[in-house]
Amino acid sequence: MTRANDRSPIYLYDLNLPALTALLAKWGEPTYRARQLWEWLYIHLTTDFDAMTNLPRTLRTRLAAETIIDRPQIVDTLRSTDGETRKDLLQLSDGETIEVVLMRYTRRRTACISTQVGCSIGCPFCATGQMGFRRNLRSGEIVAQVLHCAREWRAQGERLSNVVLMGMGEPLLNSEAVFAALRRMTDENGFRLGQRRITLSTVGIVPGIVRLAELAEQPHSGLQITLAISLHAATDALRNRLVPINRRYNLDTLFQACHHYIQRTGRRVSFEWALIAGVNDSAIQAQALAARLVGMQAHVNLIPLNPTDGYAGRPPAPADIETFTAVLERHHIPYTIRLRRGVDIQASCGQLRQRSAAAGGGSSKNLSKS
Ligand code: SAH
Ligand code: SF4
């Protein structure tokens, strides 16, 4: 990260193009300078002001003195044994750490990024939930994770193609920063990430879902991303336990919001279901899930639980997964069983940070570590 001496630094990735233009105008620079800087930041992915050779030296010096380009430092890296998934623990300027995961699929190069340090929701099976909430990320800190992954792919001659907001934190409890970051990433004159290549996973913050539907509808500046809902249970009694926010937004309220979203955007919604043996893998839950989804533009992602230190649950045996999916098939509910990428590298959100803390900063020895 580039440091500034100023008491209240300006984080460049926090600014959109109009804000950057205003800043440089205040410094007496012509409008086109902002566009030039924008291209260094989002097309060349540069973090070194000295490399911005088409900017006058005086401007480069002032930028270096008064602004900061967020560049979180890698403090730990784990690679899956198949080499297709890598997880980086990144340290922010205040010393907090967050996780990003880089995943290589046949055609996609995906970055899974965090939106908060910790999370206030407290889903018991989730390593991030187990650590509690620490703080929101700034939009620039969210942008910086995407650019970190993009640089890593670029160094291997590849291009980042997809972004999933499924790392640490609840994106719709930090929605202004998240939406601002997504706008920056999808800017046609900058990073140019395709809107449809972004998936936002939420635990079901209803006002946030309504806001997403509104954003998607805006005629020229619409933000059309894929919405994934972490459902995990199809009865209120069970969901209250697994996803405590259900006490505030219960299943009826949540599904009302999802129907509204589909109606307004015409887009399919994904439902995430972490299968936990003896907890939510019963035919009764599958039946209740099917009843909710019949006739809806929906898709179910079944993810066998990735065990975490603070939760005794285990993934179901394959035969029990089959019993569950047979019910979905009977009701013609489309589903995918997602073998979670990189179980051997603790790829569920929050797990590397948890490991790292437990090991006093480094990660546990029995993991394949770079
Ligand atoms: N807070 C958001 C996004 C981050 S979590 C949300 O909950 O949707 C991303 C996904 O990982 C969620 O579907 C979450 O339920 C799931 N997840 C968390 N811990 C897991 C674990 N140990 N095993 C399987 N899935 C898990
Ligand atoms: Fe937070 Fe999502 Fe983890 Fe639940 S699953 S505690 S909402 S990060």
Side-chain angles (χ1 to χ4, degrees), residues 203 239 333:
V203 77
R239 198 164 189 268
I333 308 290

Side-chain angles (χ1 to χ4, degrees), residues 21-240:
T21 308
L23 174 73
L24 295 195
K26 208 169 73 188
W27 291 1
E29 296 289 340
T31 309
Y32 68 88
R33 290 279 180 234
R35 182 62 72 90
Q36 287 175 319
L37 177 54
W38 191 256
E39 289 176 359
W40 284 114
L41 296 174
Y42 294 111
I43 297 178
H44 306 296
L45 313 184
T46 309
T47 54
D48 176 7
F49 293 112
D50 282 338
M52 303 181 180
T53 44
N54 61 355
L55 302 184
R57 185 169 296 277
T58 47
L59 175 57
R60 281 187 265 155
T61 306
R62 185 159 189 194
L63 283 166
E66 296 183 34
T67 72
I68 289 180
I69 299 176
D70 282 292
R71 184 138 195 200
Q73 297 300 307
I74 301 178
V75 289
D76 211 346
T77 293
L78 296 173
R79 288 173 208 275
S80 61
T81 39
D82 65 7
E84 304 293 30
T85 304
R86 170 180 141 188
K87 180 180 251 202
D88 289 342
L89 188 67
L90 299 180
Q91 187 163 47
L92 305 170
S93 50
D94 63 352
E96 289 287 4
T97 51
I98 50 166
E99 299 176 357
V100 298
V101 188
L102 295 96
M103 291 169 282
R104 178 189 274 111
Y105 297 93
T106 318
R107 282 188 299 276
R108 284 173 287 144
R109 301 289 176 268
T110 300
C112 173
I113 61 166
S114 298
T115 55
Q116 298 180 313
V117 183
C119 181
S120 61
I121 303 290
C123 306
F125 55 86
C126 168
T128 306
Q130 289 159 20
M131 70 182 260
F133 176 72
R134 297 186 62 93
R135 72 170 173 88
N136 277 329
L137 295 183
R138 288 180 287 106
S139 66
E141 290 173 320
I142 299 170
V143 165
Q145 294 171 68
V146 177
L147 299 189
H148 165 81
C149 297
R151 280 185 211 104
E152 297 296 317
W153 291 125
R154 190 178 276 192
Q156 297 171 41
E158 300 186 285
R159 195 176 143 71
L160 179 146
S161 62
N162 291 66
V163 169
V164 297
L165 287 81
M166 291 192 181
M168 297 164 72
E170 168 47 49
L172 295 183
L173 289 182
N174 186 18
S175 53
E176 287 317 311
V178 165
F179 296 154
L182 295 184
R183 288 211 181 283
R184 213 108 70 240
M185 295 292 77
T186 53
D187 186 286
E188 275 300 312
N189 299 306
F191 191 69
R192 303 191 62 184
L193 177 68
Q195 294 187 1
R196 284 160 194 262
R197 293 173 177 273
I198 300 170
T199 300
L200 182 150
S201 175
T202 174
V203 77
I205 307 297
V206 164
I209 297 170
V210 172
R211 176 97 183 94
L212 258 184
E214 279 167 13
L215 280 181
E217 277 187 325
Q218 285 171 12
H220 298 297
S221 55
L223 194 57
Q224 299 232 341
I225 60 177
T226 301
L227 176 63
I229 306 283
S230 295
L231 200 62
H232 307 313
T235 55
D236 281 318
L238 181 57
R239 198 164 189 268
N240 285 347

